[in-house]
Amino acid sequence: MKDPQKYEAIKFLEGKRVYLRPIENEDLDLFYAKALWDKEVRRLTGTQTVFSRLGVQK
């Protein structure tokens, strides 16, 4: 993980079982390959759009 002081203005949510933070460029490959094409994630979020990798990066 990166230096938390770099993100002073960004709010993080932390609980006993979850730690949420903004998506970063380093997360792009994993997010694009796993989350956007996972049938269950698409069903639960109602995602109908097909995204390009470049579109996700922007």
Side-chain angles (χ1 to χ4, degrees), residues 24-49:
E24 300 173 343
N25 277 333
E26 293 81 16
D27 303 321
L28 179 62
D29 290 329
L30 179 64
F31 184 74
Y32 181 74
K34 300 286 183 179
L36 291 179
W37 298 107
D38 184 278
K39 289 180 183 180
E40 187 68 358
V41 170
R42 292 176 69 82
R43 183 185 73 80
L44 291 171
T45 62
T47 302
Q48 299 294 320
T49 306

Side-chain angles (χ1 to χ4, degrees), residues 7-27:
Y7 300 104
E8 289 179 19
I10 298 174
K11 302 289 184 192
F12 295 90
L13 300 175
E14 187 173 1
K16 290 181 181 181
R17 297 177 55 186
V18 67
Y19 179 78
L20 300 177
R21 62 170 176 76
I23 296 171
E24 300 173 343
N25 277 333
E26 293 81 16
D27 303 321

Side-chain angles (χ1 to χ4, degrees), residues 44-56:
L44 291 171
T45 62
T47 302
Q48 299 294 320
T49 306
V50 176
F51 296 94
S52 69
R53 188 178 184 287
L54 182 59
V56 173

